[in-house]
Amino acid sequence: MSTELTIGFNWERLEEMLPEERSCFGMLQVCFGHLLLTEGQDGFIDCTRRGPLVSGYHLAEWMAWNWWRLTREPRPDAPTSEWHFAHCLGTVGAGYLWPNITIASDRQRTLLIAKPTRPQGFSAFRFTADWTVVLPTSQFESALDQFMAQIQGKLRADRVAPTNFDQILTEILAERADPDSASQRELEAVLGYDPDEGDAGQVQQLLADAGALGHDAIIELSADHRPGRSLPTAAEIKSWATDFGSTTRPADIPHITGLDLRGRATQPAWRQGYHAARALREQHGLAYEPLPDQRLAELCAVSPVILQQATQSSPLAFALDDESHGSARVALRSHYPTGRRFELARLLGDRIASGLDEPIIPATRSHTYRQKLQRAFAAELLCPFEALEAFLDGDYSEQAREDAGQHFSVSERTVWTLLVNNGRLERHAVGDDAETLDAAA
C-alpha cells in the first residue's frame, strides 16, 4: 500500500474575488495512499465528493505561515485555541468550508487526524472521512513543499502578481537554509509562538543555553513549557544537579549491541523503546521478572538510595554530564519510589536508544518522539509485557492492573499503556487526549 501524502487540486472556474483566489480555486483532495482525508457528502446534489470547493491560495498561505509550528510543535496536554488555529485546517477561514483535519508532530513523525463533521449554516456539505494516518515528518514537509510549489506555479501561470503568500514562502525557504535562523524558528515553534511573536529575551536565552546543554535538549525542554511558568536556564539546571543529584559514571552504564537507531521516523516511538528494553534484558541476562531497586541502580550506575521516597526533589528529571571528569549527576523529580524508578529507567533508555550525545538528558512530560521513546523503554524494562500477560492471565480490569502495578513496582497507568500499545485494551479516539499520541505515533 502506498504511504505517500499528496495535497492537490482539480481546478475549477471562479468568476469573482481577487486574482489569486480565482487562480487557485478548485476541489481540494488530501490523500494518504488510497485513503481520502477530504471526502464528504454534498447534500445539495446527494452525492459523494472527493473534497470541498475552496481556494488553494488561502490554504497555501496558512500552511506557509504555520510551517514551523506544523512540522515542529508537539500537541500539548490541553491544546489552546492558539494551538488549534495553527494545526487545524478548519481554521483556515476566508469564507470556505475546510476539512476537519488536525495536524500534530512529535518532531520525528506527523499525525493527520481527519474527523467527520455536520453541515454548517446554509451548507449541506459534510465531511465523512474518519482516518488517522502517521508518516515521517520529513515526508510531511515534502508534501507541504510540493503543494506550495504547485500553488505558486499556478499563480505564475495565470500571471498573478507576487502575493503575500509568495513573500512568506520566500522567507521560510531562506530560514530553512540558514542554520541559525532555523534553530530560532524551531525553538519559537515548540514554545507555541508564531515567527517573531514570542518573548525575544526568552528565546535568546534558550539559544545561548543550547551551547552549554545541547540544541536537541533545549528543544525538548522547551516542548515541555507550561503557560505562566518560566523555563529553566542552564545555570538553574546545574544548580539543581548539585542540590538534588546523585553521582554516576556514564562509562559504567551498559550498552546494547546491534540496536538499529535509524528507523525512528518509520516506527512508533513506543516500538523503538520496547525493542531497546528487550535487547537490554536479553543481552544482560535479566529474567522477565520484576526488576529490584538494587539491579536497576546497578544498570544506571547509581546508588539505590536515589530510589527511596524523597521529601525534596528536583523540579526536573535529568542527567547532566561533566565530560571533563567523566562523571554525571542524576536528579529525579518524583517524590515517590515508583515514579523515581520510572524516571531513572527513562534516563537509562535515553542513553541507550536516543542516538544523541549531549551534556544533558531531560525526561519531561511532553509528547515528543524522544520522550515517548523514554517512557516506552521504561515501561518495558520495569514491566516486561510477557511477564505482565502471565500475571494478568486475561484479566485486564482496573483492579488487576493495580495489582500488576504493585507487583512490578510501576504505576497502574504504566500497565494500562503497555496493554494499549500491545492491543489488549482499546485506546480512546486518537487526539482526544495526549496520552493516546504515545500509543498511536
Side-chain angles (χ1 to χ4, degrees):
M1 182 184 74
S2 171
T3 56
E4 180 181 2
L5 177 70
T6 58
I7 307 169
F9 267 83
N10 288 339
W11 305 120
E12 301 277 353
R13 186 176 181 83
L14 184 65
E15 297 296 337
E16 299 180 355
M17 301 298 179
L18 295 172
E20 59 266 29
E21 189 162 356
R22 296 200 309 270
S23 171
C24 303
F25 183 77
M27 181 183 292
L28 169 65
Q29 298 177 62
V30 179
C31 302
F32 183 73
H34 71 281
L35 302 180
L36 188 58
L37 278 64
T38 49
E39 189 173 50
Q41 187 71 22
D42 191 330
F44 285 124
I45 56 177
D46 192 26
C47 74
T48 298
R49 288 188 180 275
R50 293 180 62 82
L53 293 173
V54 295
S55 177
Y57 174 82
H58 297 296
L59 180 58
E61 187 179 44
W62 180 86
M63 286 180 168
W65 177 252
N66 292 300
W67 192 90
W68 289 103
R69 295 186 67 177
L70 286 170
T71 60
R72 299 296 188 272
E73 183 183 14
R75 185 184 190 275
D77 288 338
T80 62
S81 58
E82 289 81 5
W83 189 90
H84 282 290
F85 272 107
H87 293 267
C88 301
L89 264 64
T91 67
V92 175
Y96 293 101
L97 185 64
W98 297 94
N100 185 22
I101 298 176
T102 300
I103 302 168
S105 168
D106 68 6
R107 300 185 65 213
Q108 293 289 338
R109 289 157 64 82
T110 297
L111 285 86
L112 283 81
I113 307 164
K115 289 295 181 183
T117 64
R118 295 180 179 179
Q120 301 178 18
F122 295 105
S123 172
F125 190 91
R126 64 182 181 87
F127 293 99
T128 56
D130 191 4
W131 303 107
T132 296
V133 300
V134 189
L135 70 160
T137 296
S138 60
Q139 289 185 19
F140 176 67
E141 292 176 6
S142 295
L144 291 189
D145 289 347
Q146 291 172 15
F147 170 69
M148 292 189 295
Q150 177 189 16
I151 294 299
Q152 192 170 55
K154 186 67 164 62
L155 291 169
R156 298 293 88 80
D158 291 345
R159 299 184 179 180
V160 177
T163 64
N164 183 56
F165 160 67
D166 291 296
Q167 180 179 346
I168 298 172
L169 181 59
T170 298
E171 292 173 356
I172 289 173
L173 295 176
E175 290 164 357
R176 290 164 61 182
D178 178 66
D180 291 338
S181 295
S183 295
Q184 177 174 333
R185 290 293 183 249
E186 181 179 24
L187 185 55
E188 291 171 337
V190 297
L191 288 169
Y193 295 143
D194 290 334
D196 291 326
E197 293 191 4
D199 183 329
Q202 179 189 47
V203 171
Q204 291 306 312
Q205 178 65 58
L206 290 168
L207 289 171
D209 285 345
L213 301 179
H215 174 75
D216 197 88
I218 287 296
I219 295 297
E220 292 292 324
L221 290 169
S222 300
D224 190 41
H225 74 283
R226 295 292 190 271
R229 298 183 183 179
S230 60
L231 286 166
T233 64
E236 287 176 321
I237 290 174
K238 291 177 181 178
S239 176
W240 295 342
T242 300
D243 295 342
F244 304 108
S246 297
T247 301
T248 182
R249 289 186 60 82
D252 295 336
I253 294 174
H255 298 281
I256 299 176
T257 59
L259 185 63
D260 185 2
L261 302 178
R262 296 170 298 176
R264 63 183 60 248
T266 58
Q267 286 193 12
W270 76 264
R271 192 180 299 278
Q272 287 278 90
Y274 168 84
H275 286 309
R278 283 183 61 91
L280 178 65
R281 278 187 167 268
E282 291 171 0
Q283 293 182 23
H284 290 271
L286 302 175
Y288 288 98
E289 295 296 332
L291 194 64
D293 285 356
Q294 180 67 41
R295 189 68 178 102
L296 175 60
E298 289 173 359
L299 290 171
C300 300
V302 295
S303 166
V305 174
I306 195 176
L307 297 173
Q308 296 176 3
Q309 185 158 333
T311 56
Q312 289 186 317
S313 63
S314 169
L316 172 73
F318 66 95
L320 183 64
D321 291 355
D322 181 354
E323 295 182 356
S324 61
H325 295 88
S327 63
R329 300 284 287 179
V330 174
L332 304 179
R333 184 178 66 87
S334 177
H335 290 273
Y336 305 104
T338 55
R340 295 176 75 82
R341 281 169 55 86
F342 197 77
E343 288 173 354
L344 186 60
R346 287 181 63 177
L347 297 174
L348 174 62
D350 197 283
R351 285 198 186 276
I352 289 173
S354 72
L356 295 168
D357 184 18
E358 293 184 332
I360 188 174
I361 298 173
T364 75
R365 292 159 291 188
S366 74
H367 298 277
T368 64
Y369 189 97
R370 184 175 177 182
Q371 302 304 315
K372 291 188 286 188
L373 187 152
Q374 287 182 14
R375 289 192 283 269
F377 175 94
E380 179 62 25
L381 178 68
L382 300 179
C383 186
F385 181 68
E386 287 84 352
L388 175 63
E389 274 276 82
F391 182 88
L392 293 173
D393 193 24
D395 181 1
Y396 304 132
S397 65
E398 183 176 356
Q399 182 60 58
R401 299 197 304 267
E402 290 178 354
D403 292 343
Q406 292 181 2
H407 179 70
F408 290 100
S409 297
V410 297
S411 68
E412 184 271 335
R413 186 68 170 180
T414 297
V415 174
W416 178 86
T417 302
L418 281 164
L419 293 172
V420 168
N421 285 347
N422 288 278
R424 300 303 188 267
L425 291 177
E426 292 186 4
R427 62 175 66 96
H428 303 299
V430 174
D432 286 347
D433 65 50
E435 183 65 30
T436 57
L437 291 181
D438 285 12

